[in-house]
Amino acid sequence: MRRKVIAGNWKMNMLPGDTINFIEGIIPLVKDTENEVILCVPYTDLFYAWHSLEGSNIHLGAQNMHWEESGAYTGEVSPNMLKSVGVEYVIIGHSERRAYFAETDETVNKKIKSALKNDLKPIVCVGETLEQRENGETEKIITTQVEKALKDITREEVKDIIIAYEPIWAIGTGKTATAEDANNSIKAIRSKVKELYGEATAEEIIIQYGGSVKASNSKELFDTSDIDGALVGGASLKTEEFANIVNYKK
Ligand code: PGA
């Protein structure tokens, strides 16, 4: 049985003081969960979060990184910089980064390789637009994104990757894919992983759903055969709401 992994993506929200308060509040609420919990916070909160999370069962994640380890890249943050403040996971290729910051399948691939080389576990986002969905292209789009993201990544390395299927039309809109639709898209991604790496890897890899996940719809999503947890945006900013998602039991 694959574990459930629930990651909060705070996006560009929360100051250090809010971070410390949030973490103090959530630690006791999720301490008994069997699920894996990750908080992906803004760069400026990482140091505070790292210290506040010490001794808890919550893992720390970042939301982006550069693929180089150092150099003349004004404004960028490298994988080893993330490691230096306790980061274990890093979101790569979120649709907001692809849409507003010119991330491509090629930069996503470079970042994944660099993250793995630096012992960070990438949470790789893929997903279709509403137009692509309406044209019946969902499966083709998401499996192509997965194939390009994983180019030249070995079977051994891919085990450390989490894939997040996030239909773009469902992000921040209050529209969630039905559990059945989301599960079918995730099955298509799992088949692609099987084609690339074989059955054992496909059965093992964690594939999350993301897009307007809330406490009121998470159980239905998590009860499906193939959805292994969620990447949660808006609902991860509210302590009790996020704790209720994290504390899922079958
Ligand atoms: P949302 O965001 O839960 O606010 O829709 C999810 C995401 O963008 O990761």
Side-chain angles (χ1 to χ4, degrees):
M1 259 282 284
R2 290 181 299 269
R3 68 197 193 283
K4 299 281 185 212
V5 182
I6 294 120
N9 172 15
W10 282 1
K11 308 194 179 185
M12 198 171 71
N13 295 290
M14 305 282 244
L15 296 174
D18 308 320
T19 301
I20 294 165
N21 286 338
F22 181 97
I23 290 174
E24 277 174 3
I26 197 145
I27 285 176
L29 301 183
V30 302
K31 67 175 178 16
D32 295 323
T33 184
E34 285 167 16
N35 307 318
E36 190 167 330
V37 199
I38 308 165
L39 278 179
C40 299
V41 310
Y43 291 138
T44 46
D45 293 331
L46 285 171
F47 183 81
Y48 301 94
W50 177 35
H51 286 285
S52 304
L53 291 172
E54 214 181 314
S56 78
N57 59 340
I58 305 174
H59 300 266
L60 185 59
Q63 300 171 13
N64 180 36
M65 55 168 248
H66 196 276
W67 57 85
E68 293 290 347
E69 286 172 24
S70 63
Y73 300 101
T74 303
E76 290 293 324
V77 171
S78 72
N80 39 321
M81 288 172 179
L82 296 181
K83 287 289 292 180
S84 75
V85 285
V87 171
E88 294 173 74
Y89 289 87
V90 57
I91 299 174
I92 303 223
H94 189 281
S95 61
E96 286 152 15
R97 296 219 53 88
R98 293 181 193 247
Y100 311 141
F101 303 99
E103 293 245 6
T104 62
D105 290 324
E106 287 68 37
T107 60
V108 166
N109 177 251
K110 280 188 182 183
K111 289 181 180 193
I112 296 171
K113 286 183 189 154
S114 170
L116 292 168
K117 194 169 147 231
N118 284 280
D119 259 342
L120 290 165
K121 296 185 187 120
I123 301 175
V124 180
C125 303
V126 299
E128 81 287 1
T129 63
L130 187 56
E131 196 187 348
Q132 289 164 337
R133 164 158 289 239
E134 283 168 352
N135 290 339
E137 296 172 332
T138 300
E139 194 171 318
K140 186 182 107 227
I141 295 288
I142 60 180
T143 55
T144 305
Q145 284 174 334
V146 167
E147 186 156 13
K148 290 186 172 173
L150 299 180
K151 186 168 175 281
D152 298 329
I153 286 165
T154 66
R155 182 178 294 139
E156 204 39 56
E157 290 171 325
V158 86
K159 290 182 184 151
D160 284 328
I161 295 178
I162 292 175
I163 298 174
Y165 166 61
E166 299 206 304
I168 294 168
W169 49 271
I171 296 178
T173 56
K175 291 187 195 131
T176 327
T178 63
E180 193 186 346
D181 269 354
N183 196 44
N184 283 339
S185 293
I186 288 179
K187 276 188 182 166
I189 294 172
R190 211 176 288 289
S191 296
K192 174 52 78 176
V193 173
K194 182 175 168 190
E195 183 191 313
L196 297 170
Y197 297 100
E199 175 129 33
T201 307
E203 284 307 311
E204 214 176 294
I205 194 164
I206 299 292
I207 312 180
Q208 300 171 315
Y209 168 77
S212 298
V213 173
K214 310 182 266 284
S216 59
N217 60 22
S218 54
K219 179 157 171 36
E220 194 190 350
L221 291 159
F222 297 168
D223 276 342
T224 56
S225 63
D226 280 67
I227 302 180
D228 303 325
L231 184 56
V232 185
S236 73
L237 297 166
K238 298 175 217 143
T239 322
E240 295 208 345
E241 176 89 13
F242 188 57
N244 284 337
I245 298 171
V246 165
N247 286 326
Y248 165 81
K249 281 202 194 92
K250 201 164 169 52

